[in-house]
Amino acid sequence: MRFSQAAARTTAIAIAVAGVLFPSSAAAGPHRADGRLSDWRGDATMLSGESRLSKGELIYDDWLYDDYGADLDNASNTPAFRAALAPTRGDYRYPTNSARYGYNAADLRQLRISASGTGLHIAAFLQTMKETDAAAVTVGLDTGRAREGSGWPDGAGIDSPAADTFITFWGTGGWITDRRGRRERVRYQAVNLAENAIEVDVPWRSIPYVRNRTVTLYAISGLADPQAGSYKQVPLGQPSATQPGGGQAGATAAFDAAFDPQEEWTRAVGSHWGEERQSRLLAQHTLSGLGRSVRISNLESGVTHPYAPLPGRFYNRIFRSTQSFGEGINLKQPGASPGGSPDPQFLSPYQPYGLYLPDDYATGQPAPLMLNGHSLDVNQNEYQAVSPNLFNQLGDERSSIVFTPLARGVDTWYIDSGFKDVLEAWEDLRAHYTVDDERTVIGGYSMGGYMTYRMGLLMPDRFAAANPYVGPPAYQLWAPPLPPSPPGDYDVAGQTNNIVVNGLNLPYEINNGGIDELVPAAGPTQQAQSFRDAGNPHLYYFYPESDHLALILADEWGHTRDFLDQHSTRNLSPDEVRYKRYPSMDLPQHGLRFDGAYWVDGMTVRTPGDTCAPGAACDSASGQVDAYTLGHGRARSTTQAVTTAFPGPPFPATVQGTNRIPGGAIADQNRFEATFTNLSAAAFETTHMGLDPAAALTAELTVATGPGAFTLTLRGSFPAVTAQVDGQPVSVQQTAAGIVLSLTLTTGAHELAVTPQ
């Protein structure tokens, strides 16, 4: 029987069968094409281009968003979607019917092969599957018995290598073709639309010469032509609603190919999508070099081979996001919003990030980590494709992992979906690799430099140091004294100059050019001045003769390496904390609230309130804490101006900045000082303040603006206590985490005393 596509969406699991399912007596093996997928138990590498044998499954993970077919013009090309600086080599473009193809329908994400006493089992997972029969997959099996020159069937347009068996399938049909060209229909298959998976079972009687052999596997994917029972061909010219474009008569129908472990990256002019070698081979109608051998007996007996990624290599790691924005690609053409937009571009739950493991990486030994954001109009492979020496100087020479999230698109500005994607990629990396959280830094180029300001200043206690390169301080464009441009919802919520004060304990190395055509020098120069005015530790490298791309093309990062080495470890227990909170910068849709750092959090803005959407009338509302603990036995720090000339490489620069000089030793006191600006609540963590909650504790609390009721939370192992403000008793609530004081504070200074009973 066959479920309709509407019913398939309703049930999430569609079983579309071109015959009948395995009878129950044939289900003794570990796998069955039933759409449920729980019988696929092997552990994938989740690294693009890598494959492994796990629990009797050969599992291959492909490059995501690499489905551009053959390179027929021997040139780089702009994708159909916005990515002006991230070209493809493949020329194929999808039909414009997004509801069916989503501009990504033939993108193979993962392929799994297993075997049992009943036959061979295949599960093909696509990145996008809006319709069950939009894409087709062919798996070729070569035992060395095939006749050369026979070509692949079903309109695939692949001439070599020859194979004994070809299994071509889409969600509602398919064919098994042997080495003599004899064909039979695929009888056992199922589709899981929720997981974008097509399962196929092939009984041994259909492929008797495959069992008990070593087989080399090949695979391609393209667009299905269900009516013709074959691949849809790719004609010359622009695509239409029903036909792809960018091909030519006689070209392969394959948009994507599997088993591509050693991608090529031609610096600056090659593909940024992990399909350069693939597209070259497809133009030659061959998959030579894109195969993977496996012993069928290892599949049947459930063998697992150990796998570990090699150090000193760049990978794309794939993770499953908690966020799903649909499927496919949002084209986001630049004409609609030249500077970009925060809404997601790459919609599917599975997302990639660029990952470089240093040449001395060893599992179990915590490695430093660098979060490095990509520029506008490029992707997670920017540094591998354009400036690979970054991995040498900021990776190998620092023994540091370097990772670059896709951030849900080339132009999301790390504001909404892009910000969440960075955090999810980061958590995935921490879950699978040995990372030293104390030695984590943040950086990025252009739009990635904006990320370095935004994420670094909203979450300064997550990082040891920061290094934005040619980063605009404000969302899109800022050339003071003019306001940010274009005007819109993020004039305030996207302006990181508003929160520069949060960088008191996060050293920044800022790099900008004097003739930058995309990031006017006035913006970063004002940003650096704000760092100096705030007394933040920083260095501002200003290259008078450098344009926007000069620094990344020069690919020289030596002084940044030295800066990061100098500031290699974060300090979660600083003597002073200063944090400014803007409710309009929160991301409640992702459960993110930026209300403090280090040993201060729980900040609540008094007026007009503590919630506000970007662009609303309240979006400029903010509150601030300035706090200092005497529990570390140090006086307040001081500043020292830095002015020097940098000769290069890569280019000469002037350098201005500020060093923070730690205060001298003083007698320890169980005391802190805090000034509140427009706040009605704040919380302090006594352990990192060096305070003893079991002893008498005092504080000077100053209200700069916003007098009234104030909730002060002190976290720690407090005994039963009493509290007074200016000699008058105040309410104390004991909690498992500490104490909560209900105060009424007028403008000016007040003396708090907390005394054990």
Side-chain angles (χ1 to χ4, degrees):
M1 64 179 169
R2 179 179 299 167
F3 288 174
S4 70
Q5 292 174 358
R9 289 193 189 88
T10 301
T11 62
I13 297 177
I15 302 176
V17 186
V20 296
L21 291 177
F22 270 127
S24 58
S25 61
H31 295 90
R32 179 181 178 182
D34 56 10
R36 294 186 176 90
L37 303 179
S38 59
D39 46 8
W40 294 97
R41 303 182 185 92
D43 298 316
T45 72
M46 302 302 284
L47 296 172
S48 294
E50 297 294 289
S51 56
R52 71 168 302 193
L53 192 63
S54 175
K55 301 175 184 176
E57 298 170 15
L58 178 66
I59 310 169
Y60 169 74
D61 290 286
D62 197 32
W63 301 83
L64 299 189
Y65 306 114
D66 69 330
D67 46 330
Y68 309 110
D71 179 12
L72 302 176
D73 61 4
N74 196 30
S76 297
N77 296 277
T78 302
F81 51 87
R82 175 176 187 148
L85 299 178
T88 74
R89 294 293 293 193
D91 302 337
Y92 293 4
R93 299 297 180 258
Y94 282 98
T96 58
N97 180 0
S98 178
R100 177 171 174 81
Y101 298 104
Y103 302 100
N104 187 232
D107 188 7
L108 183 66
R109 178 179 65 80
Q110 188 181 89
L111 183 67
R112 292 182 179 235
I113 312 285
S114 191
S116 68
T118 60
L120 196 71
H121 311 282
I122 303 171
F125 296 82
L126 299 169
Q127 179 70 345
T128 294
M129 184 188 284
K130 292 192 169 188
E131 303 286 355
T132 60
D133 59 357
V137 175
T138 296
V139 176
L141 300 93
D142 179 19
T143 66
R145 295 158 47 92
R147 296 174 297 177
E148 293 295 332
S150 58
W152 286 36
D154 306 312
I158 298 294
D159 297 334
S160 66
D164 301 291
T165 301
F166 301 94
I167 306 162
T168 297
F169 52 93
W170 52 97
T172 56
W175 300 97
I176 303 169
T177 306
D178 71 13
R179 62 192 177 94
R180 294 183 173 86
R182 295 175 299 194
R183 291 156 62 82
E184 65 176 276
R185 289 187 179 275
V186 169
R187 298 182 60 208
Y188 312 117
Q189 70 184 106
V191 176
N192 184 318
L193 267 177
E195 295 296 329
N196 294 358
I198 306 174
E199 287 187 294
V200 174
D201 290 331
V202 183
W204 291 127
R205 64 177 178 271
S206 298
I207 49 172
Y209 38 82
V210 171
R211 196 176 188 189
N212 299 322
R213 292 182 178 272
T214 295
V215 175
T216 301
L217 298 165
Y218 303 91
I220 61 168
S221 57
L223 299 184
D225 187 342
Q227 286 70 39
S230 66
Y231 280 98
K232 188 182 288 286
Q233 300 305 299
V234 186
L236 185 67
Q238 296 298 312
S240 67
T242 58
Q243 293 296 322
Q248 62 185 32
T252 177
F255 275 62
D256 201 358
F259 305 114
D260 183 10
Q262 299 289 340
E263 249 310 324
E264 300 170 357
W265 305 90
T266 302
R267 188 180 177 202
V269 297
S271 172
H272 285 220
W273 300 94
E275 47 88 50
E276 191 162 343
R277 184 166 73 132
Q278 165 186 288
S279 64
R280 173 172 50 80
L281 293 173
L282 290 177
Q284 301 167 11
H285 300 265
T286 183
L287 298 180
S288 179
L290 300 185
R292 176 63 156 80
S293 294
V294 64
R295 295 181 63 180
I296 297 298
S297 60
N298 285 343
L299 300 182
E300 287 197 59
S301 57
V303 167
T304 293
H305 288 164
Y307 175 86
L310 295 175
R313 275 192 55 188
F314 176 79
Y315 297 91
N316 273 196
R317 178 166 169 88
I318 302 165
F319 72 100
R320 181 164 187 159
S321 169
T322 63
Q323 310 293 304
S324 179
F325 300 96
E327 291 203 39
I329 300 175
N330 174 5
L331 295 189
K332 297 184 73 172
Q333 297 293 0
S337 178
S341 66
D343 53 301
Q345 180 180 29
F346 299 101
L347 307 178
S348 302
Y350 287 93
Q351 291 294 304
Y353 57 88
L355 172 66
Y356 181 79
L357 298 178
D359 54 14
D360 60 353
Y361 175 77
T363 300
Q365 297 180 11
L369 177 66
M370 181 178 192
L371 163 57
N372 209 37
H374 68 73
S375 305
L376 180 71
D377 279 335
V378 292
N379 66 3
Q380 77 279 3
N381 300 317
E382 175 181 19
Y383 302 103
Q384 174 69 6
V386 178
S387 53
N389 190 46
L390 182 144
F391 296 130
N392 174 41
Q393 292 184 296
L394 303 186
D396 295 337
E397 293 179 8
R398 301 191 64 248
S399 299
S400 178
I401 297 171
V402 182
F403 85 109
T404 300
L406 175 55
R408 287 287 181 170
V410 304
D411 71 341
T412 62
W413 285 85
Y414 310 94
I415 280 181
D416 187 340
S417 61
F419 197 109
K420 179 64 172 178
D421 182 82
V422 170
L423 295 181
E424 288 198 303
W426 190 355
E427 286 306 303
D428 178 82
L429 189 152
R430 292 175 69 248
H432 293 91
Y433 299 88
T434 312
V435 172
D436 189 343
D437 289 336
E438 305 309 312
R439 295 185 292 163
T440 294
V441 301
I442 185 171
Y445 202 90
S446 190
M447 186 179 74
Y450 175 78
M451 179 203 75
T452 308
Y453 288 129
R454 182 174 184 80
M455 185 168 283
L457 294 171
L458 286 173
M459 306 166 59
D461 52 0
R462 294 292 300 269
F463 307 101
N467 63 284
Y469 268 77
V470 300
Y475 174 53
Q476 298 199 16
L477 181 66
W478 184 43
L482 298 175
S485 177
D489 290 346
Y490 293 96
D491 289 356
V492 174
Q495 171 59 285
T496 70
N497 190 254
N498 292 333
I499 52 174
V500 160
V501 295
N502 296 358
L504 179 66
N505 297 297
L506 179 61
Y508 268 77
E509 184 202 75
I510 303 168
N511 296 266
N512 287 89
I515 55 173
D516 192 319
E517 64 278 26
L518 300 179
V519 180
T525 298
Q526 179 57 58
Q527 186 86 331
Q529 183 61 53
S530 297
F531 270 73
R532 285 193 291 280
D533 293 343
N536 290 357
H538 75 287
L539 294 176
Y540 177 39
Y541 282 76
F542 181 73
Y543 305 85
E545 303 302 319
S546 179
D547 65 11
H548 191 70
L549 297 177
L551 293 173
I552 196 169
L553 295 178
D555 200 12
E556 167 57 50
W557 315 91
H559 69 77
T560 296
R561 173 202 58 217
D562 297 342
F563 179 84
L564 297 179
D565 284 345
Q566 181 184 357
H567 304 285
S568 61
T569 306
R570 67 174 176 171
N571 177 15
L572 292 178
S573 301
D575 301 334
E576 300 163 80
V577 172
R578 184 175 60 206
Y579 194 88
K580 191 171 187 178
R581 164 166 169 72
Y582 275 85
S584 63
M585 295 185 182
D586 289 346
L587 296 172
Q589 64 273 33
H590 301 303
L592 296 172
R593 172 187 168 91
F594 306 107
D595 63 355
Y598 305 102
W599 38 262
V600 176
D601 67 0
M603 296 168 56
T604 302
V605 172
R606 181 180 298 279
T607 304
D610 198 62
T611 59
C612 185
C618 57
D619 69 356
S620 61
S622 66
Q624 184 169 322
V625 165
D626 295 80
Y628 161 59
T629 178
L630 287 75
H632 295 149
R634 285 186 294 270
R636 289 181 181 266
S637 59
T638 57
T639 60
Q640 178 187 64
V642 175
T643 302
T644 188
F646 177 70
F651 313 111
T654 61
V655 183
Q656 289 183 288
T658 302
N659 288 334
R660 288 206 70 90
I661 310 301
I666 61 173
D668 288 351
Q669 298 182 52
N670 212 38
R671 180 175 175 81
F672 70 97
E673 300 171 0
T675 297
F676 307 116
T677 302
N678 195 32
L679 293 177
S680 61
F684 295 82
E685 199 281 310
T686 58
T687 300
H688 285 294
M689 298 171 76
L691 303 179
D692 182 2
L697 183 152
T698 63
E700 181 180 273
L701 309 178
T702 300
V703 175
T705 62
F710 190 92
T711 301
L712 177 65
T713 299
L714 301 178
R715 298 196 179 99
S717 298
F718 282 87
V721 299
T722 60
Q724 294 182 330
V725 170
D726 297 333
Q728 298 300 312
V730 296
S731 171
V732 179
Q733 179 187 357
Q734 302 272 168
T735 70
I739 59 174
V740 179
L741 308 179
S742 298
L743 315 177
T744 300
L745 301 178
T746 58
T747 303
H750 303 272
E751 185 67 18
L752 169 69
V754 178
T755 306
Q757 291 182 349

